[in-house]
Amino acid sequence: MTTATLPQPSQPSTANRRERRKLDERCSGFLDCALQRLQVNDEIQALLRSPFREIKFELPIRMGDGQIRLFHGFRVQHDKSRGPFKGGLRYHPDVDMEHFRALASVMTWKCALVDIPFGGAKGGINCDPSSLSRQDREVLTKRFTERLGHMIGPDRDIPAPDMGTGQREMAWILEGYSEENGYTPDVVTGKPIQLGGSYGRQEATGRGVSLVTSWAAEETGIDLKKATVAIQGFGKVGRHAAKCLSEKGATIVAVSNVKGGVYSADGLDIPELFAATSDSEKLTDLSAVATSADKLSNNELLELKVDILIPAAVSDVINEDNADHVQADMIVEAANLPITFDGAAILTDRRIRVVPDILANAGGVTVSYLEWVQNRQRYRWSEKKVNRKLNDTLRRAWQAMLRRADEEEVTFRMAALLIAIERVCEATELRGF
Ligand code: NAD
């Protein structure tokens, strides 16, 4: 792609510490506004802001090459008033406690908004999974499970995949936990089908993104069959969202991964890109697959003139530095926390509609819940049944959010948070202290 046809990308901050601080500030920024609007009393506010429990522990591993390396494992359990803790495991070199605190809180509001009986948690390991051998990842994951064993369990805390983890890691956790506790498939979700995983779980988050995108497009007056879409991130969420949306008739003009992206004004061949990548292999050079498409950077993708922009990779990518340059009519937050508090304020001023993460990517935890239910019943449902329940659950949450946004004349994000916080507050009061 020539620079003449592209908007000039702004330079987002690359300082990790600053990014993490912003992540935490932004999250409490959204929460502050919602708590203030609901006039939640100070005592309950303090409770909702602080995690129930957090743990960081050493993970020394003897690697396949004989070296000893020290990693750290994390788990933050935010709130359990509505049910056992639930949340993904992220393997990434930059994660830390602040990161997981913000993401665990998001899980609490997400589960409450879609009305599934779980609280919020998040955790992971500060490692670069792409630099580890399969064997080292297995040893690391099983050590992590051993050290976390007392905190997780089907009625305590149920991990699931997130960035850098997938079915394989869930299988190792199942094995590690079952070793001590007897066969316990419901200790994790997002497992392989052969070990009690649910049909439809792999694609659930992306499918959910596409469902919510189609309802939001209709509401915003965008004809999905004529719409152009750009998606940042072509991993477990992004690639399934791209596939489902292209099946609904949308034209996906740009996709990217950590290495960069590809752009075609006429639309990319999504089945071809989908077939050339996989949920566990993230480092495919997309431009080597879509050879007739133009290359573009991740920053350029965010500023494309498209109808719908879907950030489906990392946090904080739309912020006060580039929100003014976004040209999409609507943004659907497939990633967790992709827009900062300041960035969101700019988008609201510019009347760019944002479908918040706690609804847009809730398809994953919804089907995780369905997987957990099937495991407890020792019974498997058809993919059709799982997808119908996914659709119904998200549809109910979408309609509730839309109604609340209309009634109170607030953004989708505010409406979603108001509903979620009210539900968590009710459960907290009912359980007592
Ligand atoms: P993944 O690891 O499968 O894929 C991540 C994708 O983002 C890859 O294509 C990777 O190359 C790309 N990426 C990584 N760093 C990037 C960067 N700096 N710039 C641009 N692209 C980058 O992860 P995933 O499971 O698809 O998760 C993506 C997002 O969706 C995360 O924010 C995650 O928390 C959120 N999410 C995931 C699920 C789920 O079920 N997996 C559910 C809800 C929310």
Side-chain angles (χ1 to χ4, degrees):
M1 195 172 203
T2 61
T3 43
T5 60
L6 276 177
Q8 285 305 302
S10 46
Q11 295 299 312
S13 161
T14 51
N16 280 339
R17 188 150 295 285
R18 190 177 151 221
E19 277 184 18
R20 280 186 220 122
R21 185 165 46 78
K22 281 196 316 199
L23 182 78
D24 204 32
E25 278 172 9
R26 178 191 15 65
C27 189
S28 57
F30 290 133
L31 193 60
D32 280 345
C33 297
L35 290 168
Q36 218 176 331
R37 196 174 172 92
L38 286 171
Q39 297 185 329
V40 175
N41 73 42
D42 289 349
E43 289 90 350
I44 300 290
Q45 281 202 28
L47 199 61
L48 296 181
R49 283 180 212 284
S50 79
F52 172 80
R53 177 161 46 193
E54 50 190 41
I55 180 172
K56 176 180 176 184
F57 46 95
E58 283 185 340
L59 288 171
I61 303 294
R62 186 178 294 281
M63 313 289 283
D65 62 6
Q67 258 189 29
I68 295 173
R69 277 185 66 188
L70 179 61
F71 299 95
H72 283 98
F74 300 83
R75 189 72 175 166
V76 176
Q77 298 176 329
H78 176 255
D79 187 278
K80 65 173 173 57
S81 53
R82 290 175 42 89
F85 299 105
K86 183 90 188 84
L89 291 181
R90 184 172 287 198
Y91 287 6
H92 193 279
D94 290 341
V95 294
D96 64 10
M97 201 59 101
E98 277 70 36
H99 211 93
F100 289 128
R101 267 186 211 128
L103 293 167
S105 161
V106 167
M107 284 305 296
T108 299
W109 315 126
K110 192 181 301 181
C111 293
L113 177 68
V114 293
D115 206 7
I116 56 177
F118 288 136
K122 207 78 174 190
I125 304 176
N126 64 341
C127 67
D128 174 4
S130 64
S131 72
L132 299 176
S133 69
R134 184 186 188 284
Q135 195 195 343
D136 289 343
R137 268 183 303 167
E138 179 173 345
V139 172
L140 190 58
T141 303
K142 288 188 175 166
R143 179 66 50 82
F144 177 83
T145 310
E146 192 186 301
R147 302 237 157 143
L148 200 65
H150 62 294
M151 276 173 64
I152 60 173
D155 292 310
R156 290 171 184 265
D157 183 350
I158 307 129
D162 191 72
M163 281 186 74
T165 60
Q167 290 191 342
R168 203 156 38 194
E169 285 73 18
M170 298 307 116
W172 292 329
I173 294 173
L174 162 60
E175 167 59 17
Y177 187 86
S178 298
E179 190 73 7
E180 282 292 309
N181 300 280
Y183 185 59
T184 319
D186 39 349
V187 68
V188 277
T189 58
K191 301 176 288 289
I193 293 286
Q194 300 87 328
L195 296 178
S198 175
Y199 290 121
R201 175 59 186 90
Q202 273 293 93
E203 54 274 46
T205 312
R207 183 181 294 278
V209 169
S210 80
L211 288 170
V212 173
T213 302
S214 65
W215 301 328
E218 196 184 340
E219 179 64 26
T220 310
I222 297 172
D223 178 355
L224 201 58
K225 290 195 169 11
K226 293 186 187 147
T228 52
V229 182
I231 303 179
Q232 184 190 50
F234 208 64
K236 292 187 293 298
V237 178
R239 61 196 287 277
H240 288 286
K243 182 167 178 277
C244 293
L245 281 167
S246 73
E247 285 166 1
K248 285 181 186 292
T251 304
I252 317 296
V253 295
V255 299
S256 69
N257 63 16
V258 69
K259 288 185 158 182
V262 283
Y263 171 87
S264 167
D266 297 331
L268 297 163
D269 184 341
I270 294 300
E272 179 189 48
L273 281 162
F274 193 86
T277 53
S278 77
D279 283 0
S280 54
E281 171 50 70
K282 289 128 207 149
L283 296 178
T284 309
D285 182 351
L286 298 172
S287 64
V289 181
T291 46
S292 57
D294 297 312
K295 284 189 187 184
L296 89 172
S297 71
N298 270 291
N299 294 337
E300 288 170 333
L301 181 145
L302 296 172
E303 297 175 13
L304 281 174
K305 174 96 190 88
V306 285
D307 297 305
I308 303 167
L309 173 63
I310 304 185
V314 285
S315 305
D316 286 341
V317 292
I318 300 172
N319 47 52
E320 71 270 37
D321 296 330
N322 65 357
D324 266 324
H325 304 271
V326 169
Q327 297 190 70
D329 293 327
M330 183 171 92
I331 302 177
V332 180
E333 292 186 325
N336 283 312
L337 304 169
I339 305 178
T340 66
F341 187 61
D342 294 335
I346 295 170
L347 297 173
T348 304
D349 285 347
R350 296 185 54 216
R351 299 189 177 280
I352 296 176
R353 249 190 180 164
V354 176
V355 184
D357 49 5
I358 61 171
L359 177 65
N361 67 30
V365 76
T366 300
V367 178
S368 274
Y369 166 59
L370 301 177
E371 180 176 329
W372 182 77
V373 171
Q374 292 171 78
N375 291 157
R376 297 188 82 109
Q377 294 179 342
R378 295 289 196 264
Y379 193 75
R380 175 168 282 145
W381 301 342
S382 68
E383 187 168 0
K384 198 170 162 197
K385 177 166 173 168
V386 171
N387 286 344
R388 194 182 65 238
K389 284 183 176 293
L390 168 66
N391 180 86
D392 294 350
T393 305
L394 292 184
R395 182 82 189 164
R396 268 195 303 275
W398 157 258
Q399 284 170 336
M401 184 190 76
L402 192 61
R403 223 175 10 251
R404 188 76 179 244
D406 279 350
E407 281 166 11
E408 300 204 23
E409 295 182 358
V410 292
T411 60
F412 285 163
R413 188 191 310 282
M414 175 61 83
L417 273 174
L418 295 178
I419 295 168
I421 293 169
E422 274 175 356
R423 287 180 179 162
V424 173
C425 284
E426 265 175 50
T428 305
E429 293 285 356
L430 283 167
R431 288 176 74 143
F433 298 93

PDB file of all heavy atoms in Angstrom, residues 258-271:
ATOM      1  N   VAL A 258       0.792  -9.751  15.067  1.00  0.00           N
ATOM      2  CA  VAL A 258       1.868  -8.973  15.698  1.00  0.00           C
ATOM      3  C   VAL A 258       2.941  -8.568  14.676  1.00  0.00           C
ATOM      4  O   VAL A 258       3.646  -7.573  14.856  1.00  0.00           O
ATOM      5  CB  VAL A 258       2.452  -9.756  16.896  1.00  0.00           C
ATOM      6  CG1 VAL A 258       3.220 -10.975  16.439  1.00  0.00           C
ATOM      7  CG2 VAL A 258       3.302  -8.880  17.794  1.00  0.00           C
ATOM      8  N   LYS A 259       3.039  -9.324  13.581  1.00  0.00           N
ATOM      9  CA  LYS A 259       4.058  -9.016  12.559  1.00  0.00           C
ATOM     10  C   LYS A 259       3.645  -7.910  11.601  1.00  0.00           C
ATOM     11  O   LYS A 259       4.455  -7.441  10.801  1.00  0.00           O
ATOM     12  CB  LYS A 259       4.343 -10.273  11.729  1.00  0.00           C
ATOM     13  CG  LYS A 259       5.125 -11.328  12.459  1.00  0.00           C
ATOM     14  CD  LYS A 259       5.438 -12.448  11.514  1.00  0.00           C
ATOM     15  CE  LYS A 259       6.637 -13.240  11.996  1.00  0.00           C
ATOM     16  NZ  LYS A 259       6.992 -14.297  11.067  1.00  0.00           N
ATOM     17  N   GLY A 260       2.362  -7.553  11.575  1.00  0.00           N
ATOM     18  CA  GLY A 260       1.880  -6.547  10.635  1.00  0.00           C
ATOM     19  C   GLY A 260       0.638  -7.049   9.928  1.00  0.00           C
ATOM     20  O   GLY A 260       0.130  -8.130  10.234  1.00  0.00           O
ATOM     21  N   GLY A 261       0.142  -6.239   8.966  1.00  0.00           N
ATOM     22  CA  GLY A 261      -1.142  -6.591   8.373  1.00  0.00           C
ATOM     23  C   GLY A 261      -1.156  -6.567   6.862  1.00  0.00           C
ATOM     24  O   GLY A 261      -0.151  -6.283   6.202  1.00  0.00           O
ATOM     25  N   VAL A 262      -2.352  -6.902   6.333  1.00  0.00           N
ATOM     26  CA  VAL A 262      -2.568  -6.876   4.886  1.00  0.00           C
ATOM     27  C   VAL A 262      -3.868  -6.128   4.612  1.00  0.00           C
ATOM     28  O   VAL A 262      -4.806  -6.167   5.417  1.00  0.00           O
ATOM     29  CB  VAL A 262      -2.634  -8.301   4.290  1.00  0.00           C
ATOM     30  CG1 VAL A 262      -1.245  -8.896   4.175  1.00  0.00           C
ATOM     31  CG2 VAL A 262      -3.536  -9.234   5.101  1.00  0.00           C
ATOM     32  N   TYR A 263      -3.902  -5.456   3.448  1.00  0.00           N
ATOM     33  CA  TYR A 263      -5.050  -4.621   3.089  1.00  0.00           C
ATOM     34  C   TYR A 263      -5.425  -4.838   1.634  1.00  0.00           C
ATOM     35  O   TYR A 263      -4.559  -4.896   0.761  1.00  0.00           O
ATOM     36  CB  TYR A 263      -4.691  -3.139   3.303  1.00  0.00           C
ATOM     37  CG  TYR A 263      -5.714  -2.176   2.760  1.00  0.00           C
ATOM     38  CD1 TYR A 263      -6.804  -1.785   3.538  1.00  0.00           C
ATOM     39  CD2 TYR A 263      -5.606  -1.653   1.467  1.00  0.00           C
ATOM     40  CE1 TYR A 263      -7.762  -0.916   3.043  1.00  0.00           C
ATOM     41  CE2 TYR A 263      -6.559  -0.779   0.969  1.00  0.00           C
ATOM     42  CZ  TYR A 263      -7.635  -0.408   1.763  1.00  0.00           C
ATOM     43  OH  TYR A 263      -8.574   0.454   1.272  1.00  0.00           O
ATOM     44  N   SER A 264      -6.721  -4.971   1.371  1.00  0.00           N
ATOM     45  CA  SER A 264      -7.201  -4.992  -0.009  1.00  0.00           C
ATOM     46  C   SER A 264      -8.543  -4.277  -0.037  1.00  0.00           C
ATOM     47  O   SER A 264      -9.487  -4.697   0.653  1.00  0.00           O
ATOM     48  CB  SER A 264      -7.375  -6.430  -0.507  1.00  0.00           C
ATOM     49  OG  SER A 264      -8.117  -6.413  -1.707  1.00  0.00           O
ATOM     50  N   ALA A 265      -8.633  -3.206  -0.815  1.00  0.00           N
ATOM     51  CA  ALA A 265      -9.864  -2.409  -0.871  1.00  0.00           C
ATOM     52  C   ALA A 265     -11.045  -3.256  -1.338  1.00  0.00           C
ATOM     53  O   ALA A 265     -12.192  -3.005  -0.962  1.00  0.00           O
ATOM     54  CB  ALA A 265      -9.655  -1.217  -1.808  1.00  0.00           C
ATOM     55  N   ASP A 266     -10.787  -4.277  -2.157  1.00  0.00           N
ATOM     56  CA  ASP A 266     -11.874  -5.127  -2.668  1.00  0.00           C
ATOM     57  C   ASP A 266     -12.244  -6.245  -1.701  1.00  0.00           C
ATOM     58  O   ASP A 266     -13.167  -7.008  -1.957  1.00  0.00           O
ATOM     59  CB  ASP A 266     -11.459  -5.775  -4.011  1.00  0.00           C
ATOM     60  CG  ASP A 266     -11.227  -4.713  -5.070  1.00  0.00           C
ATOM     61  OD1 ASP A 266     -11.886  -3.654  -4.970  1.00  0.00           O
ATOM     62  OD2 ASP A 266     -10.382  -4.933  -5.953  1.00  0.00           O
ATOM     63  N   GLY A 267     -11.495  -6.370  -0.648  1.00  0.00           N
ATOM     64  CA  GLY A 267     -11.774  -7.432   0.322  1.00  0.00           C
ATOM     65  C   GLY A 267     -10.727  -8.530   0.233  1.00  0.00           C
ATOM     66  O   GLY A 267     -10.306  -8.918  -0.854  1.00  0.00           O
ATOM     67  N   LEU A 268     -10.317  -9.030   1.416  1.00  0.00           N
ATOM     68  CA  LEU A 268      -9.318 -10.108   1.470  1.00  0.00           C
ATOM     69  C   LEU A 268     -10.011 -11.454   1.289  1.00  0.00           C
ATOM     70  O   LEU A 268     -11.210 -11.590   1.548  1.00  0.00           O
ATOM     71  CB  LEU A 268      -8.628 -10.083   2.840  1.00  0.00           C
ATOM     72  CG  LEU A 268      -7.825  -8.822   3.154  1.00  0.00           C
ATOM     73  CD1 LEU A 268      -7.544  -8.740   4.657  1.00  0.00           C
ATOM     74  CD2 LEU A 268      -6.515  -8.823   2.370  1.00  0.00           C
ATOM     75  N   ASP A 269      -9.227 -12.432   0.870  1.00  0.00           N
ATOM     76  CA  ASP A 269      -9.761 -13.793   0.758  1.00  0.00           C
ATOM     77  C   ASP A 269      -9.653 -14.432   2.154  1.00  0.00           C
ATOM     78  O   ASP A 269      -8.632 -15.028   2.517  1.00  0.00           O
ATOM     79  CB  ASP A 269      -8.924 -14.576  -0.282  1.00  0.00           C
ATOM     80  CG  ASP A 269      -9.481 -15.966  -0.533  1.00  0.00           C
ATOM     81  OD1 ASP A 269     -10.252 -16.454   0.324  1.00  0.00           O
ATOM     82  OD2 ASP A 269      -9.147 -16.561  -1.571  1.00  0.00           O
ATOM     83  N   ILE A 270     -10.705 -14.285   2.945  1.00  0.00           N
ATOM     84  CA  ILE A 270     -10.652 -14.747   4.345  1.00  0.00           C
ATOM     85  C   ILE A 270     -10.542 -16.278   4.444  1.00  0.00           C
ATOM     86  O   ILE A 270      -9.731 -16.777   5.240  1.00  0.00           O
ATOM     87  CB  ILE A 270     -11.850 -14.183   5.154  1.00  0.00           C
ATOM     88  CG1 ILE A 270     -11.716 -12.652   5.256  1.00  0.00           C
ATOM     89  CG2 ILE A 270     -11.941 -14.803   6.544  1.00  0.00           C
ATOM     90  CD1 ILE A 270     -10.456 -12.143   5.943  1.00  0.00           C
ATOM     91  N   PRO A 271     -11.295 -17.052   3.633  1.00  0.00           N
ATOM     92  CA  PRO A 271     -11.094 -18.512   3.723  1.00  0.00           C
ATOM     93  C   PRO A 271      -9.638 -18.907   3.487  1.00  0.00           C
ATOM     94  O   PRO A 271      -9.109 -19.795   4.164  1.00  0.00           O
ATOM     95  CB  PRO A 271     -12.015 -19.066   2.623  1.00  0.00           C
ATOM     96  CG  PRO A 271     -13.087 -18.034   2.489  1.00  0.00           C
ATOM     97  CD  PRO A 271     -12.416 -16.705   2.728  1.00  0.00           C
TER      98      PRO A 271
END
